[in-house]
Amino acid sequence: MALIRLLTRLSGYVHLKQGLECLGASSQSTRLQQHTAAHSSSCNYQLLPDCLELSYGGLVMHFDYVWLRDHCRSASCYNSKTHQRNLDTASIDLNIRPLKSRVDENTLFLTWPDGHITRYSLTWLAQNSYEGQKRSAVQPRILWSADIYSSAQVPSASWDKFMSCDEELKNFLNNFLLYGIAFVEGVPPTLEATETATQRVSLIRETMYGRMWNFTSDFSRGDTAYTKLALDRHTDTSYFQEPCGIQVFHCLRHEGTGGRTLLVDAFHAADAVLQRTPENFELLSHVPIKHEYVENLSEHRNHMIGIGPVINVYPWNNEVYMIRYNNYDRSVINTVPHDVVRRWYTAHRQLTAELRRPDNELWVKLKPGKVLFIDNWRVLHGRESFTGLRQLCGCYLTRDDVLNTARSLGLQA
């Protein structure tokens, strides 16, 4: 493989050399120019025909010239107060190249044909390069099995401090971002207090189910006929084109047995599929599947359809950002060619097996005062059967606003 890469690079240099010779010695702007920072051997760059190649901090990066002009952070091109672009991107010549360039220890300087000078911090370029983004995570996470999460002894937030102290809120959100679940303890067991707690984090997302929901189930008789059946692991609202980002549960009352909540880190399961059978991961992250919800009642009707792969990844670094998994609501599979269907079922079976591994199942008993926040794009939830009277309230939160709150507190999200 090393020999193949070497030959490929040599071939590229040969074609580059031939191209430059054809352009002639008088075409100074298209010649390959190599430069090194005057006071630092850790940075050097060269102007290639179609991009600037920069080597800095052990990373080799490539920047298109239009990109370099478009992202100029000068006062005339960028409003640093509003973090918005002033420059009209459509006004940039798509064949633009810098007339002059230089670099010092920390900054790259580019002079454009109209005399405008762009200054880039080398650190900023490294952070915002494709190569830098490709090897970094959008959001740091800790993948967990039941044992990993239990051993971490992740603390719950205290209701009083959670409502009054930003540092407590920050710690809560940090745990939520890392693990996909987080708890607030000591919340008064009322619908109103639960709503107040959720609004500390985000705006409530109103759906066809309403804003806050409050369900009471009474299975007080002891025989099997009066036992609420178990609910298998799933993500909610898979039939929304954009599934709800966060789900909140608060058990206000339970006079009976059972009813524990099941939590499974689907990102951990997806990573196991990736490590063992990359081709199955690839299939699950590219084949679009329909999920559907149909409700025809005299007082209202709903027909929701959500389409997307089971595993959703960022294309530049293959980082998983959403799982859409709900066997109850998966619709007719008519988006997959016949020669792919069996392979998809095989891949889906492998993911299901990982999700159903007992060592991946975290069981939690919800009780009055304990509010659970679940990342519905990551953590599957279910519930074991129960008896007796059980009252549960909760809601969905808008994902953008949860992440906005986290970023405002200085967290990476």
Side-chain angles (χ1 to χ4, degrees), residues 290-305:
K290 290 182 181 178
H291 289 76
E292 187 172 24
Y293 177 80
V294 180
E295 184 180 38
N296 290 315
L297 301 175
S298 57
E299 61 272 19
H300 62 273
R301 295 183 177 182
N302 290 298
H303 190 173
M304 306 291 290
I305 296 178

Side-chain angles (χ1 to χ4, degrees), residues 4-72:
I4 292 174
R5 287 195 295 268
L6 176 60
L7 291 175
T8 301
R9 291 182 62 190
L10 290 174
S11 175
Y13 285 137
V14 169
H15 288 303
L16 174 61
K17 184 175 184 296
Q18 291 173 343
L20 293 176
E21 289 172 349
C22 290
L23 290 173
S26 61
S27 182
Q28 181 66 29
S29 62
T30 59
R31 288 182 178 176
L32 187 150
Q33 305 167 42
Q34 297 186 5
H35 308 265
T36 302
H39 304 291
S40 174
S41 60
S42 63
C43 170
N44 60 74
Y45 73 96
Q46 54 184 339
L47 300 177
L48 301 176
D50 61 345
C51 68
L52 182 146
E53 182 180 271
L54 173 67
S55 177
Y56 176 72
L59 186 65
V60 178
M61 301 159 278
H62 298 85
F63 299 95
D64 179 86
Y65 293 123
V66 177
W67 187 98
L68 288 167
R69 183 65 188 91
D70 182 46
H71 287 79
C72 178

Side-chain angles (χ1 to χ4, degrees), residues 206-225:
E206 187 164 359
T207 68
M208 60 190 180
Y209 303 115
R211 191 168 180 273
M212 294 288 299
W213 41 264
N214 188 0
F215 296 135
T216 300
S217 303
D218 190 355
F219 295 86
S220 301
R221 288 175 52 178
D223 54 43
T224 304

Side-chain angles (χ1 to χ4, degrees), residues 102-365:
R102 67 181 179 88
V103 67
D104 62 19
E105 277 195 39
N106 303 306
T107 309
L108 172 69
F109 299 85
L110 301 171
T111 302
W112 301 103
D114 62 358
H116 184 81
I117 298 176
T118 294
R119 298 169 177 83
Y120 280 117
S121 159
L122 297 178
T123 301
W124 187 92
L125 286 173
Q127 291 172 344
N128 290 281
S129 67
Y130 171 78
E131 292 81 1
Q133 289 293 309
K134 188 175 181 179
R135 71 177 190 177
S136 62
V138 174
Q139 181 180 310
R141 297 182 177 94
I142 296 176
L143 307 184
W144 52 268
S145 62
D147 183 61
I148 291 174
Y149 184 83
S150 299
S151 299
Q153 298 184 328
V154 183
S156 299
S158 167
W159 159 254
D160 292 333
K161 291 181 65 178
F162 177 79
M163 294 303 300
S164 61
C165 175
D166 282 350
E167 192 62 29
E168 184 80 353
L169 175 61
K170 182 178 180 179
N171 291 334
F172 165 86
L173 286 170
N174 186 54
N175 291 331
F176 177 81
L177 293 172
L178 288 176
Y179 295 98
I181 55 174
F183 298 88
V184 181
E185 300 261 18
V187 181
T190 66
L191 180 70
E192 293 74 20
T194 307
E195 181 177 3
T196 300
T198 61
Q199 290 176 315
R200 176 76 167 126
V201 176
S202 166
L203 297 176
I204 295 173
R205 178 174 177 178
E206 187 164 359
T207 68
M208 60 190 180
Y209 303 115
R211 191 168 180 273
M212 294 288 299
W213 41 264
N214 188 0
F215 296 135
T216 300
S217 303
D218 190 355
F219 295 86
S220 301
R221 288 175 52 178
D223 54 43
T224 304
Y226 282 83
T227 298
K228 180 68 172 178
L229 297 179
L231 188 64
D232 198 11
R233 66 217 71 197
H234 64 284
T235 58
D236 261 24
T237 61
S238 58
Y239 41 79
F240 285 14
Q241 194 55 42
E242 182 185 305
C244 293
I246 287 83
Q247 183 153 23
V248 180
F249 288 119
H250 188 186
C251 183
L252 304 180
R253 180 184 179 191
H254 185 200
E255 300 169 358
T257 62
R260 290 181 305 164
T261 296
L262 169 63
L263 301 169
V264 179
D265 184 2
F267 286 7
H268 177 65
D271 185 66
V273 174
L274 174 62
Q275 300 304 322
R276 294 169 187 162
T277 320
E279 60 272 21
N280 284 349
F281 181 93
E282 184 79 5
L283 204 62
L284 291 172
S285 62
H286 282 82
V287 174
I289 297 296
K290 290 182 181 178
H291 289 76
E292 187 172 24
Y293 177 80
V294 180
E295 184 180 38
N296 290 315
L297 301 175
S298 57
E299 61 272 19
H300 62 273
R301 295 183 177 182
N302 290 298
H303 190 173
M304 306 291 290
I305 296 178
I307 304 174
V310 174
I311 300 175
N312 295 260
V313 301
Y314 294 123
W316 60 88
N317 65 357
N318 215 35
E319 177 183 348
V320 179
Y321 69 86
M322 181 172 72
I323 299 286
R324 191 191 295 256
Y325 184 97
N326 191 320
N327 203 53
Y328 298 109
D329 298 317
R330 182 163 44 78
S331 186
V332 176
I333 299 179
N334 53 18
T335 56
V336 185
H338 76 279
D339 58 337
V340 179
V341 169
R342 178 59 64 88
R343 291 194 292 120
W344 184 89
Y345 274 118
T346 299
H348 188 267
R349 182 68 55 84
Q350 183 183 9
L351 176 63
T352 298
E354 290 294 335
L355 293 170
R356 291 180 178 177
R357 286 171 59 96
D359 55 340
N360 286 333
E361 297 179 343
L362 178 67
W363 290 94
V364 177
K365 178 65 175 179

